[in-house]
Amino acid sequence: MKQVVATMAGNVWKIVVTVGEQVEEGQDVVILESMKMEIPIAAEANGTVQEIHVQEGDFVNEGDVLLTLE
């Protein structure tokens, strides 16, 4: 299993994938909002979204797990 983690603190603005969806390395999976800027978070490997650990509107800290790929 591979984890996608937040690269900085911010609010989860949008989740752009769903559980069961195939993603490719470099594909944006979550968009964070911090200091009025949108920060896309990309998958670091190919895989299938197994679990999403956050919801839109949640606050996350740097290093928090956003989703798990299998």
Side-chain angles (χ1 to χ4, degrees), residues 4 6 9 14 20-21 26 34 41 43 48 51-52 54 57-58 62 64:
V4 177
K14 186 168 187 172
E21 186 173 338
S34 182
I41 306 297
T48 303
E51 186 176 358
I52 299 173
V54 294
D58 286 355
E62 182 177 353
D64 285 356

Side-chain angles (χ1 to χ4, degrees), residues 29-50:
V29 292
V30 175
I31 300 174
L32 299 181
E33 185 274 326
S34 182
M35 297 181 288
K36 307 222 185 242
M37 295 186 341
E38 295 174 11
I39 299 98
I41 306 297
E44 295 180 2
N46 296 339
T48 303
V49 179
Q50 180 181 16

